[in-house]
Amino acid sequence: MGPNRPPPPSAPRLLSSSDAHRRRFTPASYAAAMWSLEFSRRTTASPERIWAWYQDHESAPEWDPLVGRIQPDGPIAVGVTGRNTPRTGPSVPFVYTEVTPLASYTEVSRVPGGSMAFTHDLRHDGDETVVTHGVRCEGPMSTVYRLVLRPSYKRGMAEALDGLIRLAEQGPPPVREV
């Protein structure tokens, strides 16, 4: 290989700082920029009982250690928006994007550099209900969110499921004055 000869095609090409504009997210790399968690528990509480606890937004901090306050602008229904204030961190807006009453709902929050979808699913299995909660973070900043949020979500989501089931098995949520 002479001094004026280009490297063979199989040789890696090093990008200089002037080539930085070529480092873009492609659909494949964007898809790889995500993470998710999912937790399931079984309970003797009915889907109706669990759903009642979901609808009682004021009680969420009692059973979910990640939540400081949930302020929806209406009932759990597609298109309804609101704000979720975690125990630590800034308040974020959300929208319910999928709702099947007594079975599932998804709320999505846009965060800088991505989005976070929180899923809640209820399924009958004989005399029990399987309750599944999940989170999926997507976008160019998801790697950062994985490092910052995933450890506390991993702990907190499991604790939230245990707390929700404990309360649901004890009875319905409290009746609140309007």
Side-chain angles (χ1 to χ4, degrees), residues 53-54 56 59-65 133 159-161 163-164 167:
W53 280 96
Y54 286 156
D56 183 27
S59 71
E62 295 174 34
W63 55 268
D64 190 334
H133 288 183
E159 291 175 22
L161 262 179
L164 171 64
L167 290 173

Side-chain angles (χ1 to χ4, degrees), residues 54-139:
Y54 286 156
Q55 290 179 311
D56 183 27
H57 303 291
E58 290 181 40
S59 71
E62 295 174 34
W63 55 268
D64 190 334
L66 298 172
V67 171
R69 186 174 186 189
I70 297 178
Q71 298 169 280
D73 298 327
I76 299 175
V78 172
V80 171
T81 60
R83 292 197 76 75
N84 186 339
T85 305
R87 289 192 198 242
T88 60
S91 172
V92 293
F94 70 84
V95 61
Y96 293 117
T97 59
E98 177 277 327
V99 177
T100 303
L102 304 176
S104 66
Y105 74 93
T106 300
E107 64 184 72
V108 175
S109 293
R110 298 276 176 223
V111 293
S115 66
M116 298 189 78
F118 296 89
T119 58
H120 307 76
D121 294 292
L122 306 174
R123 180 177 52 83
H124 277 292
D125 188 18
D127 292 338
E128 295 181 314
T129 302
V130 178
V131 183
T132 302
H133 288 183
V135 60
R136 180 180 174 102
C137 181
E138 297 181 329

